Amino acid sequence: MAALIAYKCSHISNAVRRNYLTLLLVRRCTTAQKEKKGIVLGIFETDNDVDGIAFTPSAENFNQRTSGKLSELLHLSGQTLKKGKSRLFYGIDKEYTSVAVVGLGKQSAGVNELEEINESKENIRTAAAVGARQLRDIGIKDIEIDPSTDAQAAGEGASLGLFAYDELKQESKRKPHVNLSLHGNQDSLDQWQKGILLGDCQNFARKLMEMPANKLTPVEFANQVVSKMTDLDHVQTTIRNKQWIEEKKMFSFLSVAQGSNQPPVFLEIQYSGCSNKDSPPLVLVGKGVTFDCGGISIKPAAQMDMMRGDMGGAAVVVAALLAIATLKIPINVVCLTPLCENLINGEAVKPGDVVTAMNGKSIQVDNTDAEGRLLLADALHYGCTSFHPTAIINAATLTGAMAVALGSAATGVFTNSRKLWTNLYMAGIETGDRLWRMPLFEHYTKQITDSQLADLNNIGKAARDGGACTAAAFLKEFVTCSHWAHLDIAGVMTNKDEVPYIGKGMSGRPTRTLVEYASRIADDIC
Ligand code: BES
Ligand code: ZN
Ligand code: MG
């Protein structure tokens, strides 16, 4: 019977609608369809209102449409709703059978100077994520989201909040797919769609980071990315193989790759968004170690599985380019990702070995677990000398010391350019995925140029002290561009619950900040 009703539903013409029986069916069909529809609405905290509640325009409309039932129920259930906290109501509207009301904090929040974050946007992201997740968990498949005062932030939050990497689990254990849409007035549809796209691109980075290393080898990383980019205009992808890497004399990169039976890949992506194809590009470089066991300087077993995410730098720069190209931001971008595994076969690089990088500098590899800098050394030199970039930014899960310094609050940025820093920093305030500046002092350079056998040593003399800074000082030896920034993302690689709209697991941070940065500088350079 249910199947018959469902079938008839999609085949009803106006003529038969007059038939009583059909009318009955229609009503049953409509209820059956609408049963699954939910809505996420926001409410602000206020001090002056006696009720302590201020509805967003969408919530206000909904309250009127239900003849004040929404505010009645909110009062019955205790009127205040702190930011990020939610209540579920059922059956107060015919169309939206489930309503998630989420606290948005203070309406006047804006940019918090001390926190260096746009709290209004951040609260909207959180509310959208919390509400959408809650409705999905009770089986709602169609969810409309209140844009509140920022449809883009709502889209980002909803998309990021619903992400789950569960394709390796059996069907019954996977999260159901949900259709998200913008509630109410469609004037802000463009911003909403931009938000969804940004969330989806960050989710692509998260997926690549979550994927187990046996499924995401260097070759497979490149394949996944290339197939994601095929339909995009003005994007060209090139997969460089080991022979090309050898011809370029990237022996620093190759010294890491040699310990694994998986061949290395150097993936290059170009997006020409400027009408002037020759306008200097933004070059993005990402560390792509698809698994890092540490090599002969092997890591402890505990949590070693997390090192499947050691290609996070490559994932976020690729995801940022995907967003930039999809949004058709007018800028030229080149994305460079050296990809390999850091393992221990019989040919693995040994502590004390000396290798020569593409720029001719020799490196004593005293710790094979400080491998990220060896890949990046060659990629940064190649990037600076081959593309004459307007700016070059690399992202890397480079040091545990970075996580010790800042935790997961912000990505650490080491840069030789105040202008580049200011733009990146401003971008982070808006996206909520913040950056914090770190030093590139000569003090640290001294510790990596003091090598017994070579020009450089791949670890600092002061052992663990200032580990993130000595790693950055090492990279600086390979940079010839005047606007360079190194983003150490080791501390922000994973999320527990610090960012409420990003669930537990690999974070894909700071994909959105990179996109925001690119769109901010686009006008100046294109
Ligand atoms: N991939 C790690 C850094 C890392 C640690 C990222 C934890 C994310 C979470 C990197 O290759 C590494 O092992 N770095 C060493 C450097 C040291 C040997 C100088 C580290 O941080 O211990
Ligand atoms: Zn590593
Ligand atoms: Mg390592």
Side-chain angles (χ1 to χ4, degrees):
M1 188 58 182
L4 179 71
I5 294 169
Y7 173 80
K8 288 217 167 183
C9 265
S10 52
H11 290 84
I12 288 164
S13 72
N14 275 333
V16 265
R17 260 174 228 273
R18 282 177 218 110
N19 175 302
Y20 172 76
L21 184 70
T22 320
L23 260 179
L24 203 72
L25 284 174
V26 170
R27 197 165 317 135
R28 292 192 57 173
C29 291
T30 334
T31 341
Q33 282 173 349
K34 299 271 160 79
E35 238 164 32
K36 291 285 164 200
K37 199 159 171 180
I39 185 171
V40 177
L41 295 170
I43 56 171
F44 296 105
E45 273 172 49
T46 67
D47 304 321
N48 41 23
D49 193 329
V50 255
D51 295 342
I53 293 174
F55 286 123
T56 61
S58 297
E60 180 60 53
N61 278 343
F62 192 83
N63 191 43
Q64 278 171 18
R65 157 192 172 117
T66 57
S67 319
K69 257 192 232 156
L70 186 63
S71 67
E72 208 176 293
L73 285 172
L74 277 165
H75 281 274
L76 279 171
S77 61
Q79 55 247 63
T80 54
L81 212 44
K82 289 261 174 290
K83 68 176 179 193
K85 298 289 175 216
S86 65
R87 298 255 155 76
L88 269 179
F89 300 114
Y90 308 98
I92 55 172
D93 183 81
K94 282 207 193 75
E95 191 180 352
Y96 305 96
T97 50
S98 305
V99 183
V101 182
V102 195
L104 283 167
K106 293 214 167 20
Q107 185 157 17
S108 56
V111 175
N112 182 324
E113 297 295 336
L114 194 59
E115 290 293 324
E116 313 205 3
I117 205 161
N118 186 323
E119 274 188 350
S120 298
K121 293 190 180 195
E122 203 66 354
N123 291 345
I124 294 169
R125 289 182 192 105
T126 301
V130 168
R133 260 186 223 136
Q134 223 168 32
L135 291 175
R136 177 181 61 188
D137 290 351
I138 58 165
I140 310 290
K141 302 246 162 48
D142 275 299
I143 302 177
E144 290 188 13
I145 309 279
D146 173 0
S148 183
T149 51
D150 193 317
Q152 181 184 325
E156 291 172 15
S159 163
L160 290 167
L162 292 179
F163 172 79
Y165 179 71
D166 50 15
E167 61 191 52
L168 300 176
K169 297 182 179 182
Q170 65 193 52
E171 185 87 42
S172 62
K173 288 189 177 156
R174 291 184 213 158
K175 298 277 188 209
H177 175 78
V178 162
N179 294 314
L180 283 171
S181 51
L182 173 66
H183 177 70
N185 191 330
Q186 299 293 297
D187 286 354
S188 54
L189 188 62
D190 285 355
Q191 286 101 297
W192 161 261
Q193 282 169 343
K194 182 179 177 191
I196 293 284
L197 184 264
L198 287 164
D200 287 353
C201 287
Q202 182 169 343
N203 288 342
F204 178 58
R206 294 166 81 184
K207 177 191 158 178
L208 292 173
M209 291 172 78
E210 286 292 3
M211 279 180 78
N214 64 327
K215 307 250 180 225
L216 197 79
T217 59
V219 167
E220 191 49 31
F221 181 104
N223 289 342
Q224 291 265 337
V225 171
V226 169
S227 68
K228 196 90 178 167
M229 304 267 178
T230 43
D231 293 337
L232 283 173
D233 291 337
H234 311 294
V235 174
Q236 201 191 324
T237 53
T238 317
I239 298 178
R240 320 280 201 186
N241 63 13
K242 187 176 170 203
Q243 194 194 333
W244 181 91
I245 302 165
E246 282 167 350
E247 281 163 15
K248 287 285 169 198
K249 298 190 163 38
M250 295 184 171
F251 298 120
S252 180
F253 171 26
L254 284 169
S255 74
V256 181
Q258 76 192 39
S260 162
N261 297 352
Q262 292 292 339
V265 172
F266 193 97
L267 175 65
E268 197 169 309
I269 314 169
Q270 297 208 28
Y271 163 64
S272 309
C274 280
S275 45
N276 177 6
K277 295 265 176 296
D278 300 324
S279 140
L282 165 65
V283 174
L284 301 174
V285 181
K287 168 181 173 181
V289 175
T290 57
F291 190 75
D292 177 19
C293 84
I296 288 177
S297 316
I298 195 168
K299 288 183 181 296
Q303 311 252 295
M304 203 203 266
D305 66 297
M306 297 312 266
M307 286 299 110
R308 69 181 183 275
D310 208 20
M311 28 52 72
V316 300
V317 296
V318 158
L321 187 141
L322 180 65
I324 292 166
T326 311
L327 292 168
K328 298 187 164 46
I329 296 174
I331 186 173
N332 293 341
V333 184
V334 174
C335 206
L336 306 171
T337 58
L339 297 152
C340 70
E341 291 184 326
N342 186 25
L343 287 186
I344 331 182
N345 66 18
E347 285 168 49
V349 68
K350 303 166 290 299
D353 283 2
V354 174
V355 297
T356 303
M358 187 182 173
N359 74 347
K361 291 192 185 183
S362 58
I363 304 164
Q364 183 175 334
V365 182
D366 269 358
N367 191 315
T368 65
D369 197 11
E371 85 295 346
R373 61 197 78 180
L374 298 175
L375 276 67
L376 292 171
D378 284 333
L380 285 167
H381 174 74
Y382 173 72
C384 281
T385 54
S386 311
F387 301 97
H388 305 290
T390 179
I392 184 164
I393 301 173
N394 73 266
T397 47
L398 205 65
T399 65
M402 191 69 244
V404 172
L406 298 182
S408 63
T411 292
V413 181
F414 302 78
T415 177
N416 59 4
S417 162
R418 183 165 294 169
K419 188 176 159 207
L420 176 50
W421 162 246
T422 309
N423 281 321
L424 280 168
Y425 162 77
M426 305 267 277
I429 292 173
E430 291 309 303
T431 60
D433 203 342
R434 293 174 295 192
L435 309 180
W436 192 258
R437 194 167 183 181
M438 299 285 291
L440 270 178
F441 302 143
E442 185 65 24
H443 176 95
Y444 303 108
T445 306
K446 280 189 195 141
Q447 296 184 34
I448 49 103
T449 46
D450 178 14
S451 163
Q452 205 181 351
L453 306 173
D455 298 327
L456 300 167
N457 194 300
N458 81 327
I459 44 166
K461 278 276 126 63
R464 289 161 52 221
D465 292 358
C469 307
T470 47
F474 180 92
L475 297 182
K476 185 165 167 274
E477 293 302 302
F478 300 87
V479 173
T480 50
C481 311
S482 40
H483 300 282
W484 161 64
H486 153 53
L487 275 50
D488 194 331
I489 59 170
V492 300
M493 179 177 82
T494 55
N495 191 60
K496 283 170 214 79
D497 49 17
E498 342 44 315
V499 184
Y501 52 89
I502 301 179
K504 199 172 165 297
M506 299 293 175
S507 73
R509 291 171 67 187
T511 301
R512 288 175 303 109
T513 306
L514 289 171
V515 182
E516 176 65 28
Y517 165 78
S519 66
R520 276 164 183 260
I521 63 159
D523 290 342
D524 293 343
I525 54 164
C526 196

